Amino acid sequence: DTLWDLAIAEVEKRENPDDDGKHVEVWEKSILFMGSKNGGKTTIILRCLEREEIPKPTLALEYTFGRRARRHNTPKDIAHFWELGGGTSLLELIRIPITSNNIRSFAVVLVLDLSKPNELWTTMEKLLQVTRIHVHKILTKLEQTNPEVATEIKQRMQNNLQRDHPDYELVDPFPVPLVIIGSKYDIFHEFDSEMRKIISKTLRFVSHYYGASLVVFRVLINHLAFGYDKSKSVSVDHSKPLFIPAGLDSLSQIGPPPASDSDIGKMRANTPLELWKKVFEKTFPPKSFCDLQDTKDPAQDSQYAEYEVDVMRAQKNQELEQYKRNASKSWKEMDFDPD
């Protein structure tokens, strides 16, 4: 054995002295938090990890982890937490945390700011589309290199809805476990009753369509991260916080899109999801905004200040400006031959 092998064996022995050589499986999960800018993603992660910290703005893509033992004297399970900042402005970073190596144990948490319904559908649509495309690329490669794993992942998502469920053929499950959380409920609760109803019904439909759990509390996040038993209770009253684990809702209970029959008849839609989008955006027209313009330059953020690095950067900036001036002067002085 190498020195590294001996070190690993010693650590395992100290963490589980009563194991007597028996192998205890360690639960290891990865979760990507994404969603509305300033929607509360960091706060949710800190609460899940029981950390008393003041949340800071997320810069691009950040990582942390948590370890927790299921029983006394057993190895600690590990949960990897990734958080995508910037709303929808940094979509290309989604491919970093989701890989073929961890796809079997990966889950996504989409946090939507209920206080900004005009941004809700756009944020949800963009993030889920990009994530889904990336996951499908991984599954396509796995079908060639490891078809058993690809089949297992696809079958697992289909199992979220029992085959005898009346909506089994009508939904389109997300390729990895998905949780949709509505944040800023205190503000949302002050909305007009009809507005709350439209938002709640729409989120119920989207969650059910994707085989997702909706507006869950800390217990379900712990289920994703550490494998704890998830609650089977359901709350569908739009005047209260919604709580609907995946597979426990139905289209018949959700009802039709909140619009008159004549309005629905005039809307051209190719899928139920597209129809719900049109109905939702009729009440809450999407805002015209660009997340990229709101993304702050991390070099100007005081929380990342480092004196030596900042001094060097300032010097390089001065050198760059001098180079530009010299280059511009050189080009102006050049005599180009018209032939």
Side-chain angles (χ1 to χ4, degrees), residues 110-155:
L110 176 65
V111 181
L112 299 174
D113 188 341
L114 298 180
S115 70
K116 300 177 181 178
N118 299 86
E119 301 176 13
L120 190 149
W121 191 285
T122 301
T123 298
M124 172 183 66
E125 185 176 56
K126 287 183 178 180
L127 290 170
L128 292 185
Q129 280 181 350
V130 172
T131 304
R132 188 165 206 160
I133 290 172
H134 177 62
V135 171
H136 278 310
K137 287 181 180 178
I138 292 177
L139 292 179
T140 299
K141 292 181 180 179
L142 283 176
E143 287 175 348
Q144 301 174 350
T145 60
N146 198 335
E148 294 82 6
V149 172
T151 301
E152 174 193 330
I153 293 172
K154 293 180 179 180
Q155 187 61 46

Short mmCIF file of all heavy atoms in Angstrom, two decimals, residues 110-155:
data_model
loop_
_atom_site.label_atom_id
_atom_site.label_comp_id
_atom_site.label_asym_id
_atom_site.label_seq_id
_atom_site.Cartn_x
_atom_site.Cartn_y
_atom_site.Cartn_z
N LEU A 110 -34.46 25.41 -8.48
CA LEU A 110 -34.74 26.66 -9.18
C LEU A 110 -35.49 27.59 -8.23
O LEU A 110 -36.61 27.30 -7.81
CB LEU A 110 -35.59 26.39 -10.43
CG LEU A 110 -36.04 27.62 -11.22
CD1 LEU A 110 -34.83 28.35 -11.81
CD2 LEU A 110 -37.00 27.21 -12.33
N VAL A 111 -34.86 28.70 -7.88
CA VAL A 111 -35.45 29.67 -6.94
C VAL A 111 -36.02 30.84 -7.74
O VAL A 111 -35.29 31.52 -8.45
CB VAL A 111 -34.41 30.17 -5.93
CG1 VAL A 111 -35.05 31.16 -4.96
CG2 VAL A 111 -33.80 28.99 -5.16
N LEU A 112 -37.33 31.05 -7.61
CA LEU A 112 -38.01 32.12 -8.36
C LEU A 112 -38.54 33.17 -7.39
O LEU A 112 -39.21 32.84 -6.41
CB LEU A 112 -39.16 31.53 -9.18
CG LEU A 112 -38.75 30.50 -10.24
CD1 LEU A 112 -39.98 29.88 -10.88
CD2 LEU A 112 -37.86 31.14 -11.30
N ASP A 113 -38.27 34.42 -7.69
CA ASP A 113 -38.70 35.54 -6.86
C ASP A 113 -40.17 35.84 -7.14
O ASP A 113 -40.52 36.39 -8.19
CB ASP A 113 -37.84 36.76 -7.18
CG ASP A 113 -38.08 37.93 -6.23
OD1 ASP A 113 -39.14 37.94 -5.57
OD2 ASP A 113 -37.22 38.82 -6.15
N LEU A 114 -41.05 35.47 -6.21
CA LEU A 114 -42.49 35.66 -6.40
C LEU A 114 -42.89 37.13 -6.39
O LEU A 114 -43.97 37.48 -6.86
CB LEU A 114 -43.26 34.92 -5.30
CG LEU A 114 -43.11 33.40 -5.26
CD1 LEU A 114 -43.94 32.83 -4.13
CD2 LEU A 114 -43.50 32.77 -6.58
N SER A 115 -42.03 37.98 -5.85
CA SER A 115 -42.36 39.41 -5.80
C SER A 115 -42.17 40.09 -7.16
O SER A 115 -42.54 41.25 -7.33
CB SER A 115 -41.50 40.11 -4.75
OG SER A 115 -40.15 40.19 -5.16
N LYS A 116 -41.58 39.37 -8.14
CA LYS A 116 -41.35 39.93 -9.47
C LYS A 116 -41.94 39.01 -10.53
O LYS A 116 -41.21 38.36 -11.30
CB LYS A 116 -39.85 40.12 -9.71
CG LYS A 116 -39.17 41.05 -8.72
CD LYS A 116 -37.67 41.14 -8.98
CE LYS A 116 -37.00 42.07 -7.97
NZ LYS A 116 -35.53 42.13 -8.18
N PRO A 117 -43.27 38.91 -10.58
CA PRO A 117 -43.91 37.97 -11.52
C PRO A 117 -43.62 38.28 -12.98
O PRO A 117 -43.65 37.38 -13.82
CB PRO A 117 -45.40 38.12 -11.20
CG PRO A 117 -45.53 39.45 -10.54
CD PRO A 117 -44.27 39.65 -9.77
N ASN A 118 -43.32 39.55 -13.32
CA ASN A 118 -43.04 39.89 -14.71
C ASN A 118 -41.70 39.34 -15.19
O ASN A 118 -41.43 39.33 -16.39
CB ASN A 118 -43.07 41.42 -14.89
CG ASN A 118 -44.41 42.03 -14.56
OD1 ASN A 118 -44.68 42.33 -13.41
ND2 ASN A 118 -45.26 42.18 -15.56
N GLU A 119 -40.86 38.90 -14.27
CA GLU A 119 -39.58 38.30 -14.63
C GLU A 119 -39.59 36.78 -14.43
O GLU A 119 -38.65 36.10 -14.83
CB GLU A 119 -38.45 38.91 -13.78
CG GLU A 119 -38.31 40.41 -13.92
CD GLU A 119 -37.26 40.97 -12.98
OE1 GLU A 119 -36.48 40.18 -12.42
OE2 GLU A 119 -37.20 42.20 -12.81
N LEU A 120 -40.65 36.28 -13.84
CA LEU A 120 -40.68 34.89 -13.38
C LEU A 120 -40.57 33.90 -14.53
O LEU A 120 -39.70 33.01 -14.52
CB LEU A 120 -41.96 34.65 -12.58
CG LEU A 120 -42.08 33.34 -11.81
CD1 LEU A 120 -42.93 33.56 -10.56
CD2 LEU A 120 -42.72 32.26 -12.67
N TRP A 121 -41.43 34.00 -15.54
CA TRP A 121 -41.44 33.00 -16.59
C TRP A 121 -40.15 33.04 -17.41
O TRP A 121 -39.58 31.99 -17.72
CB TRP A 121 -42.65 33.18 -17.51
CG TRP A 121 -42.81 31.99 -18.43
CD1 TRP A 121 -42.06 31.69 -19.52
CD2 TRP A 121 -43.74 30.91 -18.28
NE1 TRP A 121 -42.46 30.50 -20.07
CE2 TRP A 121 -43.50 30.01 -19.33
CE3 TRP A 121 -44.77 30.65 -17.37
CZ2 TRP A 121 -44.25 28.84 -19.51
CZ3 TRP A 121 -45.51 29.49 -17.55
CH2 TRP A 121 -45.25 28.59 -18.59
N THR A 122 -39.68 34.23 -17.74
CA THR A 122 -38.45 34.34 -18.53
C THR A 122 -37.27 33.72 -17.80
O THR A 122 -36.47 32.98 -18.41
CB THR A 122 -38.15 35.82 -18.83
OG1 THR A 122 -39.24 36.40 -19.55
CG2 THR A 122 -36.88 35.96 -19.66
N THR A 123 -37.14 34.00 -16.52
CA THR A 123 -36.05 33.43 -15.73
C THR A 123 -36.14 31.91 -15.71
O THR A 123 -35.15 31.21 -15.95
CB THR A 123 -36.10 33.98 -14.29
OG1 THR A 123 -35.92 35.39 -14.31
CG2 THR A 123 -35.00 33.34 -13.43
N MET A 124 -37.32 31.41 -15.42
CA MET A 124 -37.53 29.96 -15.35
C MET A 124 -37.24 29.30 -16.69
O MET A 124 -36.52 28.29 -16.77
CB MET A 124 -38.97 29.68 -14.93
CG MET A 124 -39.39 28.23 -14.99
SD MET A 124 -41.14 28.06 -14.57
CE MET A 124 -41.91 28.92 -15.97
N GLU A 125 -37.77 29.87 -17.76
CA GLU A 125 -37.65 29.26 -19.09
C GLU A 125 -36.20 29.19 -19.54
O GLU A 125 -35.72 28.14 -20.01
CB GLU A 125 -38.48 30.06 -20.09
CG GLU A 125 -38.53 29.47 -21.49
CD GLU A 125 -39.45 30.27 -22.39
OE1 GLU A 125 -39.24 31.49 -22.53
OE2 GLU A 125 -40.40 29.68 -22.94
N LYS A 126 -35.48 30.30 -19.42
CA LYS A 126 -34.09 30.33 -19.88
C LYS A 126 -33.21 29.35 -19.12
O LYS A 126 -32.43 28.59 -19.71
CB LYS A 126 -33.52 31.75 -19.74
CG LYS A 126 -34.07 32.73 -20.76
CD LYS A 126 -33.39 34.09 -20.61
CE LYS A 126 -33.88 35.08 -21.65
NZ LYS A 126 -33.23 36.41 -21.49
N LEU A 127 -33.33 29.36 -17.80
CA LEU A 127 -32.46 28.50 -16.98
C LEU A 127 -32.77 27.02 -17.21
O LEU A 127 -31.84 26.20 -17.32
CB LEU A 127 -32.62 28.86 -15.51
CG LEU A 127 -32.03 30.22 -15.11
CD1 LEU A 127 -32.45 30.59 -13.70
CD2 LEU A 127 -30.50 30.19 -15.20
N LEU A 128 -34.03 26.66 -17.27
CA LEU A 128 -34.39 25.26 -17.46
C LEU A 128 -34.04 24.77 -18.86
O LEU A 128 -33.61 23.63 -19.05
CB LEU A 128 -35.87 25.04 -17.17
CG LEU A 128 -36.30 25.21 -15.71
CD1 LEU A 128 -37.78 24.85 -15.55
CD2 LEU A 128 -35.45 24.35 -14.77
N GLN A 129 -34.20 25.62 -19.86
CA GLN A 129 -33.86 25.23 -21.22
C GLN A 129 -32.39 24.91 -21.36
O GLN A 129 -32.01 23.86 -21.90
CB GLN A 129 -34.25 26.34 -22.21
CG GLN A 129 -35.72 26.38 -22.57
CD GLN A 129 -36.04 27.49 -23.56
OE1 GLN A 129 -35.20 28.35 -23.86
NE2 GLN A 129 -37.25 27.48 -24.09
N VAL A 130 -31.54 25.80 -20.88
CA VAL A 130 -30.09 25.60 -21.00
C VAL A 130 -29.65 24.38 -20.20
O VAL A 130 -28.84 23.58 -20.67
CB VAL A 130 -29.33 26.86 -20.54
CG1 VAL A 130 -27.83 26.60 -20.48
CG2 VAL A 130 -29.62 28.03 -21.46
N THR A 131 -30.20 24.23 -19.00
CA THR A 131 -29.84 23.08 -18.17
C THR A 131 -30.26 21.78 -18.84
O THR A 131 -29.51 20.80 -18.88
CB THR A 131 -30.50 23.18 -16.79
OG1 THR A 131 -30.13 24.41 -16.17
CG2 THR A 131 -30.05 22.03 -15.90
N ARG A 132 -31.46 21.76 -19.38
CA ARG A 132 -31.97 20.55 -20.02
C ARG A 132 -31.14 20.17 -21.25
O ARG A 132 -30.81 19.00 -21.44
CB ARG A 132 -33.43 20.76 -20.42
CG ARG A 132 -34.09 19.49 -20.92
CD ARG A 132 -35.59 19.64 -20.96
NE ARG A 132 -36.25 18.35 -20.84
CZ ARG A 132 -37.50 18.18 -20.48
NH1 ARG A 132 -38.23 19.24 -20.16
NH2 ARG A 132 -38.03 16.98 -20.41
N ILE A 133 -30.78 21.14 -22.05
CA ILE A 133 -29.97 20.87 -23.24
C ILE A 133 -28.63 20.27 -22.83
O ILE A 133 -28.15 19.30 -23.43
CB ILE A 133 -29.76 22.17 -24.05
CG1 ILE A 133 -31.07 22.60 -24.70
CG2 ILE A 133 -28.67 21.98 -25.10
CD1 ILE A 133 -31.01 23.96 -25.37
N HIS A 134 -28.01 20.84 -21.80
CA HIS A 134 -26.70 20.33 -21.35
C HIS A 134 -26.82 18.91 -20.80
O HIS A 134 -25.99 18.05 -21.12
CB HIS A 134 -26.12 21.25 -20.28
CG HIS A 134 -24.82 20.77 -19.72
ND1 HIS A 134 -23.69 20.62 -20.47
CD2 HIS A 134 -24.48 20.37 -18.45
CE1 HIS A 134 -22.70 20.17 -19.72
NE2 HIS A 134 -23.17 20.01 -18.49
N VAL A 135 -27.85 18.65 -20.02
CA VAL A 135 -28.04 17.30 -19.46
C VAL A 135 -28.28 16.29 -20.58
O VAL A 135 -27.75 15.18 -20.55
CB VAL A 135 -29.21 17.28 -18.46
CG1 VAL A 135 -29.54 15.84 -18.05
CG2 VAL A 135 -28.86 18.10 -17.23
N HIS A 136 -29.06 16.66 -21.59
CA HIS A 136 -29.32 15.76 -22.71
C HIS A 136 -28.04 15.44 -23.48
O HIS A 136 -27.86 14.32 -23.98
CB HIS A 136 -30.37 16.34 -23.64
CG HIS A 136 -31.78 16.12 -23.17
ND1 HIS A 136 -32.25 14.87 -22.79
CD2 HIS A 136 -32.81 16.98 -23.01
CE1 HIS A 136 -33.52 14.98 -22.43
NE2 HIS A 136 -33.88 16.24 -22.53
N LYS A 137 -27.14 16.42 -23.58
CA LYS A 137 -25.85 16.16 -24.24
C LYS A 137 -25.06 15.11 -23.46
O LYS A 137 -24.44 14.22 -24.05
CB LYS A 137 -25.05 17.46 -24.35
CG LYS A 137 -25.58 18.43 -25.39
CD LYS A 137 -24.71 19.68 -25.45
CE LYS A 137 -25.23 20.66 -26.50
NZ LYS A 137 -24.40 21.90 -26.54
N ILE A 138 -25.09 15.23 -22.14
CA ILE A 138 -24.38 14.26 -21.30
C ILE A 138 -25.00 12.88 -21.46
O ILE A 138 -24.30 11.87 -21.60
CB ILE A 138 -24.42 14.70 -19.83
CG1 ILE A 138 -23.59 15.96 -19.63
CG2 ILE A 138 -23.90 13.58 -18.92
CD1 ILE A 138 -23.62 16.50 -18.22
N LEU A 139 -26.34 12.81 -21.45
CA LEU A 139 -27.03 11.52 -21.59
C LEU A 139 -26.75 10.90 -22.95
O LEU A 139 -26.63 9.67 -23.06
CB LEU A 139 -28.53 11.71 -21.38
CG LEU A 139 -28.96 12.08 -19.96
CD1 LEU A 139 -30.47 12.26 -19.89
CD2 LEU A 139 -28.52 11.01 -18.96
N THR A 140 -26.66 11.71 -23.99
CA THR A 140 -26.37 11.19 -25.33
C THR A 140 -25.00 10.53 -25.37
O THR A 140 -24.82 9.45 -25.97
CB THR A 140 -26.43 12.33 -26.37
OG1 THR A 140 -27.75 12.89 -26.38
CG2 THR A 140 -26.11 11.80 -27.76
N LYS A 141 -24.03 11.16 -24.72
CA LYS A 141 -22.68 10.56 -24.66
C LYS A 141 -22.69 9.29 -23.82
O LYS A 141 -22.04 8.30 -24.15
CB LYS A 141 -21.69 11.57 -24.08
CG LYS A 141 -21.42 12.76 -24.98
CD LYS A 141 -20.41 13.71 -24.35
CE LYS A 141 -20.13 14.91 -25.27
NZ LYS A 141 -19.16 15.85 -24.66
N LEU A 142 -23.45 9.31 -22.71
CA LEU A 142 -23.51 8.13 -21.84
C LEU A 142 -24.17 6.95 -22.55
O LEU A 142 -23.84 5.79 -22.27
CB LEU A 142 -24.29 8.45 -20.56
CG LEU A 142 -23.53 9.26 -19.50
CD1 LEU A 142 -24.45 9.59 -18.32
CD2 LEU A 142 -22.31 8.48 -19.00
N GLU A 143 -25.10 7.22 -23.45
CA GLU A 143 -25.74 6.13 -24.18
C GLU A 143 -24.73 5.35 -25.01
O GLU A 143 -24.93 4.17 -25.31
CB GLU A 143 -26.84 6.69 -25.08
CG GLU A 143 -28.08 7.13 -24.31
CD GLU A 143 -29.11 7.81 -25.19
OE1 GLU A 143 -28.75 8.14 -26.35
OE2 GLU A 143 -30.25 8.02 -24.74
N GLN A 144 -23.64 6.01 -25.38
CA GLN A 144 -22.59 5.35 -26.16
C GLN A 144 -21.52 4.72 -25.27
O GLN A 144 -21.02 3.64 -25.57
CB GLN A 144 -21.94 6.36 -27.11
CG GLN A 144 -22.93 6.99 -28.08
CD GLN A 144 -22.29 8.10 -28.90
OE1 GLN A 144 -21.17 8.53 -28.62
NE2 GLN A 144 -23.01 8.58 -29.92
N THR A 145 -21.18 5.41 -24.17
CA THR A 145 -20.10 4.94 -23.31
C THR A 145 -20.59 4.09 -22.13
O THR A 145 -19.88 3.18 -21.69
CB THR A 145 -19.30 6.13 -22.75
OG1 THR A 145 -20.17 6.97 -21.99
CG2 THR A 145 -18.71 6.95 -23.89
N ASN A 146 -21.77 4.40 -21.61
CA ASN A 146 -22.30 3.67 -20.45
C ASN A 146 -23.83 3.65 -20.53
O ASN A 146 -24.51 4.34 -19.78
CB ASN A 146 -21.84 4.34 -19.16
CG ASN A 146 -21.97 3.43 -17.96
OD1 ASN A 146 -22.78 2.51 -17.96
ND2 ASN A 146 -21.21 3.70 -16.91
N PRO A 147 -24.37 2.83 -21.44
CA PRO A 147 -25.82 2.83 -21.68
C PRO A 147 -26.64 2.45 -20.46
O PRO A 147 -27.78 2.89 -20.31
CB PRO A 147 -26.00 1.81 -22.80
CG PRO A 147 -24.75 0.97 -22.77
CD PRO A 147 -23.67 1.87 -22.31
N GLU A 148 -26.06 1.64 -19.55
CA GLU A 148 -26.81 1.24 -18.35
C GLU A 148 -27.14 2.45 -17.47
O GLU A 148 -28.25 2.58 -16.96
CB GLU A 148 -26.02 0.21 -17.53
CG GLU A 148 -25.82 -1.13 -18.22
CD GLU A 148 -24.67 -1.12 -19.20
OE1 GLU A 148 -23.95 -0.08 -19.26
OE2 GLU A 148 -24.49 -2.12 -19.92
N VAL A 149 -26.14 3.34 -17.31
CA VAL A 149 -26.35 4.53 -16.49
C VAL A 149 -27.37 5.45 -17.14
O VAL A 149 -28.25 6.01 -16.48
CB VAL A 149 -25.02 5.27 -16.26
CG1 VAL A 149 -25.26 6.62 -15.58
CG2 VAL A 149 -24.07 4.42 -15.43
N ALA A 150 -27.27 5.65 -18.46
CA ALA A 150 -28.21 6.51 -19.18
C ALA A 150 -29.63 5.99 -19.03
O ALA A 150 -30.57 6.77 -18.78
CB ALA A 150 -27.83 6.59 -20.65
N THR A 151 -29.81 4.69 -19.15
CA THR A 151 -31.14 4.09 -18.99
C THR A 151 -31.65 4.25 -17.57
O THR A 151 -32.83 4.55 -17.34
CB THR A 151 -31.09 2.59 -19.36
OG1 THR A 151 -30.64 2.44 -20.71
CG2 THR A 151 -32.47 1.97 -19.20
N GLU A 152 -30.76 4.08 -16.60
CA GLU A 152 -31.14 4.23 -15.20
C GLU A 152 -31.65 5.63 -14.90
O GLU A 152 -32.67 5.82 -14.21
CB GLU A 152 -29.94 3.92 -14.30
CG GLU A 152 -30.19 4.17 -12.82
CD GLU A 152 -28.90 4.15 -12.01
OE1 GLU A 152 -27.97 3.42 -12.40
OE2 GLU A 152 -28.83 4.87 -10.99
N ILE A 153 -30.96 6.65 -15.42
CA ILE A 153 -31.35 8.04 -15.16
C ILE A 153 -32.71 8.34 -15.78
O ILE A 153 -33.58 8.95 -15.14
CB ILE A 153 -30.28 9.00 -15.73
CG1 ILE A 153 -28.97 8.84 -14.94
CG2 ILE A 153 -30.76 10.45 -15.66
CD1 ILE A 153 -27.81 9.60 -15.52
N LYS A 154 -32.92 7.91 -17.02
CA LYS A 154 -34.19 8.15 -17.70
C LYS A 154 -35.34 7.43 -16.98
O LYS A 154 -36.43 7.98 -16.81
CB LYS A 154 -34.11 7.70 -19.15
CG LYS A 154 -33.16 8.55 -19.99
CD LYS A 154 -33.10 8.05 -21.43
CE LYS A 154 -32.16 8.91 -22.28
NZ LYS A 154 -32.09 8.44 -23.68
N GLN A 155 -35.10 6.21 -16.57
CA GLN A 155 -36.14 5.44 -15.88
C GLN A 155 -36.48 6.05 -14.53
O GLN A 155 -37.65 6.07 -14.13
CB GLN A 155 -35.66 3.99 -15.69
CG GLN A 155 -36.74 3.05 -15.15
CD GLN A 155 -37.93 2.95 -16.07
OE1 GLN A 155 -37.77 2.78 -17.27
NE2 GLN A 155 -39.13 3.06 -15.52
#
